Amino acid sequence: MTLKKQLKTINPYQPGKPIEEVKAEYGLNEVIKLASNENPFGSSPKAIEAMKEAIHDMAVYPDGHATALRQALAQKHHVSEEQFVFSNGLDELVHMLSHSILEPGMNTVLADITFSSYKISALIEGAELREVPLVDGRHDLPGMLDRMDEHTGIVWLCNPNNPTGEIIKKHELEDFLEKVPEHVLVVADEAYHEYADHPEYPRTVDYVERYPNLIVMRTFSKVYGLAGLRIGYGIANAQLIRDLEPVRQPFNASRIAQKAAIKALDDHEFINYSIEQTHQGLEQYYAFCEAYGLKYFKSYANFILIEFDRPGEEIFNALLPKGFIVRVGVAPGMPNTVRITIGSKEQNAAIIECLKGILNEKK
């Protein structure tokens, strides 16, 4: 049996360290995970009730067309019901797009520090990576345009960008879309868009009819608090959606996920509370970084990337016995950085006190 040779050269995605593992290793009763950008406030109560009701129908396959969810999202985004494709989390949609377009002899353009799934999926398909360095944590759109040619299949835009949290502004995106060749698929990954409170953050969904080569990705994993259900979706021109259907698995959005997502969409109280608390939490970290002279990126997501005066791995290991899990290794070429998910006010205060203690130890 022979697998694709490129699989031997790819490092698989490494999820955050499990809570139970840290508890057992350090004899802790409580561990706070701030590594995977989950919603620290849980799930929408309305979504939880929908899950409880849906559990009675687990012997039946889900609606493969996701009809009710499709209708709810069409109303929310003011687009046609035929402009949606659903996926088992955005990771699956990334793989679907790569599998549909990329192959050996083609290339894909992406930022050098961004969501790792783009890179992994492209390499599996045997495509060439053309990574363009970020500029102050932001996508270098002119630089990305320069790297495109007749063999470019996909360009990936993570907006807000993971792990820096920076955004592509409206006028920048509009100029970029006008210049991207028509044969290149533009993927706007907006997993964190609900947190992006910048006045110049674009309404990218408004562009999908004008640009048939654009797809916008959204997820229920972040502000909606449904990461464990794995449900995401793409919005694009109806023809592009039809072309993608053969590669989509028939029942990839579970019955529970669909029911919960519909209710989560309408729970504005939970959504607004999560966003408000996240913005307040970011201010806690900004104040800490300013007080200690630490470099950081202003974030429009639910996490912050901080550069310390020592390897990020050292900060990570020092926090584990104190009961905190954070993320390192997400910014290649920036070994001193740590990405921290914004938690509750109390969680943020607790980890910041621990960080102060770690930094003060070597003063």
Side-chain angles (χ1 to χ4, degrees):
M1 181 177 68
T2 304
L3 301 179
K4 288 182 176 181
K5 61 182 180 180
Q6 54 265 36
L7 294 182
K8 296 182 179 180
T9 66
I10 300 172
N11 293 320
Y13 177 82
Q14 296 296 325
K17 198 173 180 71
I19 290 176
E20 294 306 319
E21 182 179 325
V22 176
K23 282 184 177 180
E25 185 175 350
Y26 295 98
L28 299 171
N29 293 321
E30 182 183 9
V31 170
I32 298 172
K33 183 183 177 186
L34 299 173
S36 300
N37 305 336
E38 296 144 331
N39 190 330
F41 309 107
S43 306
S44 155
K46 294 181 179 180
I48 292 173
E49 286 304 312
M51 292 182 226
K52 291 177 181 178
E53 294 176 11
I55 204 167
H56 299 293
D57 298 317
M58 288 301 96
V60 182
Y61 283 112
D63 175 6
H65 191 63
T67 304
L69 178 57
R70 183 182 296 272
Q71 292 170 347
L73 286 169
Q75 183 175 5
K76 173 180 172 61
H77 294 297
H78 306 291
V79 298
S80 164
E81 293 178 21
E82 303 309 310
Q83 290 183 249
F84 294 93
V85 59
F86 294 93
S87 59
N88 188 254
L90 286 189
D91 297 277
E92 187 194 30
L93 185 50
V94 169
H95 284 284
M96 286 167 58
L97 295 172
S98 295
H99 195 50
S100 300
I101 295 175
L102 300 177
E103 60 185 5
M106 299 185 71
N107 66 74
T108 185
V109 177
L110 65 162
D112 63 336
I113 300 174
T114 193
F115 185 43
S116 61
S117 188
Y118 314 147
K119 180 176 181 178
I120 293 171
S121 296
L123 290 174
I124 289 172
E125 301 304 326
E128 174 197 352
L129 293 178
R130 295 190 175 180
E131 297 178 279
V132 179
L134 295 175
V135 177
D136 297 325
R138 304 178 69 242
H139 286 70
D140 177 7
L141 297 184
M144 298 178 92
L145 285 168
D146 287 343
R147 299 303 307 276
M148 295 179 195
D149 60 23
E150 66 272 20
H151 302 296
T152 303
I154 302 176
V155 57
W156 305 92
L157 305 179
C158 191
N159 193 29
N161 186 45
N162 179 10
T164 61
E166 284 282 3
I167 63 167
I168 298 167
K169 296 178 181 177
K170 183 176 184 289
H171 70 277
E172 296 169 330
L173 179 63
E174 290 175 344
D175 182 65
F176 182 77
L177 290 172
E178 280 294 312
K179 296 177 180 177
V180 173
E182 292 181 0
H183 69 273
V184 178
L185 177 67
V186 179
V187 181
D189 182 348
E190 297 186 345
Y192 301 94
H193 85 104
E194 291 92 351
Y195 298 104
D197 59 342
H198 196 289
E200 294 185 55
Y201 185 74
R203 276 185 48 87
T204 316
V205 173
D206 291 345
Y207 305 139
V208 294
E209 277 302 312
R210 182 175 177 183
Y211 301 99
N213 60 331
L214 170 66
I215 185 166
V216 181
M217 301 200 305
R218 298 283 178 86
T219 183
F220 287 92
S221 293
K222 306 306 176 183
V223 77
Y224 294 104
L226 302 181
L229 295 184
R230 311 306 301 125
I231 182 161
Y233 61 98
I235 311 172
N237 176 279
Q239 183 59 55
L240 175 57
I241 297 298
R242 286 192 289 271
D243 291 341
L244 286 172
E245 273 301 301
V247 79
R248 183 183 67 83
Q249 294 299 310
F251 302 110
N252 59 341
S254 76
R255 178 177 294 274
I256 291 182
Q258 291 183 41
K259 297 288 186 181
I262 292 169
K263 293 300 183 181
L265 278 174
D266 289 332
D267 196 342
H268 302 294
E269 182 179 352
F270 176 78
I271 295 167
N272 293 336
Y273 177 79
S274 297
I275 294 172
E276 179 185 355
Q277 292 299 306
T278 298
H279 291 163
Q280 292 179 15
L282 281 167
E283 294 298 330
Q284 290 178 267
Y285 286 97
Y286 295 157
F288 159 66
C289 291
E290 294 292 342
Y292 278 77
L294 300 173
K295 181 180 177 181
Y296 65 94
F297 293 99
K298 183 172 175 58
S299 177
Y300 295 93
N302 68 336
F303 56 80
I304 185 170
L305 188 69
I306 302 175
E307 185 170 352
F308 291 88
D309 60 353
R310 64 200 72 179
E313 193 75 28
E314 185 177 322
I315 299 292
F316 172 81
N317 289 327
L319 285 171
L320 283 181
K322 300 178 185 297
F324 291 97
I325 307 174
V326 294
R327 201 79 159 93
V328 292
V330 291
M334 300 175 69
N336 289 8
T337 56
V338 172
R339 192 192 68 193
I340 305 174
T341 302
I342 308 304
S344 66
K345 181 179 180 180
E346 295 74 20
Q347 290 172 340
N348 299 331
I351 192 174
I352 286 172
E353 282 305 307
C354 287
L355 288 169
K356 288 178 179 178
I358 293 168
L359 296 176
N360 290 335
E361 283 175 4
K362 290 196 174 183
K363 281 191 175 181

